[in-house]
Amino acid sequence: MFWKKKKSNFNAKKVAWEIVGREGGYVNDPDDPGGATKWGITIGTLRRVRGSNVTVEDVKNLTQGEAVDIFLSDYFYKPKINKLPESIQDTVFDMQVNSGNNAIKILQRTLREFGQNISVDGVIGPKTIAAAFEVDGDIDYLRDAYGMSRREYYFRLGDKNPRLRKFARTRRGNKGGWIKRAEEFISPEYHLTDEQFRDRIRRW
C-alpha cells in the first residue's frame, strides 16, 4: 500500500449509535420496501442474521444495542468501509445502512468523476480503497462530493417513484428526512437553500 494511515480518532461504535438515533423506533410504512423496521434494522436483515423464522414481533423487540452490533458487523466491517479514508467512513457507513451497497456504488461513481478508473460494482476492493485515498489526499472535498452525490441519489429516487417523495420532502414542501440526512455530512456552504430545494423538486 502506498498510503499511510493517520492516527485514528474514528469511533465506529459511536457512529453506529448515532445511526440508531437517526433511524428511530419501530415503523412499518407500506411505501418503504424494507417493511417492518426498528432502529434501521429491517425484518429482512434480521432474518438474514437470526434465521428465516424471525417475525414482526421480533423486530418490535429489537434493542438499540443489538442494532448497533448488527450495523458494525454487517454494514461497517463486512463491506470494508473501515478500510476507506476516515474522512468518509461515517457518511458511507450511514448510507450503507440506509441504502445497502448503493452506498459503495455512489462512492465509486464519485471517484470516477475525479478521474479514477475503477468499476462501479458495489464492492470495496483494493482499487476502490486506493482510489479513495488518492482523491481524499489532505483535503475534505471528497466527503462533500460524496454527500452531494448521495443527496442527488435521493432526488433521483423521488424523480422515478412518486411514492418515495415523502421521504425527501415534507408535506409543507420543505426538505425531508433523506435530504436532511445527506446534508448532515456536507459542509454548510454546500447545503441547498430553500429556494434551490424547491427548484429541484418543482417537477414533483
Side-chain angles (χ1 to χ4, degrees), residues 133-151:
F133 273 91
E134 184 170 336
V135 172
D136 184 57
D138 294 324
I139 60 174
D140 290 333
Y141 186 69
L142 176 58
R143 178 182 178 83
D144 285 321
Y146 179 80
M148 289 185 280
S149 296
R150 176 180 175 179
R151 181 175 62 196

Side-chain angles (χ1 to χ4, degrees), residues 119-132:
S119 299
V120 180
D121 57 9
V123 177
I124 296 176
K127 291 183 179 179
T128 296
I129 295 168

Side-chain angles (χ1 to χ4, degrees), residues 76-156:
F76 186 69
Y77 291 110
K78 187 174 181 179
K80 300 182 180 178
I81 291 172
N82 61 306
K83 302 294 185 181
L84 296 173
E86 286 191 4
S87 67
I88 59 170
Q89 284 185 20
D90 60 347
T91 180
V92 179
F93 183 16
D94 184 76
M95 189 59 174
Q96 183 79 9
V97 169
N98 190 238
S99 195
N101 73 345
N102 286 310
I104 299 165
K105 290 180 179 179
I106 292 169
L107 173 62
Q108 290 168 331
R109 292 190 189 100
T110 303
L111 292 170
R112 285 177 64 88
E113 290 174 2
F114 282 93
Q116 297 298 312
N117 184 21
I118 58 172
S119 299
V120 180
D121 57 9
V123 177
I124 296 176
K127 291 183 179 179
T128 296
I129 295 168
F133 273 91
E134 184 170 336
V135 172
D136 184 57
D138 294 324
I139 60 174
D140 290 333
Y141 186 69
L142 176 58
R143 178 182 178 83
D144 285 321
Y146 179 80
M148 289 185 280
S149 296
R150 176 180 175 179
R151 181 175 62 196
E152 184 57 29
Y153 169 82
Y154 289 137
F155 279 131
R156 289 198 302 271

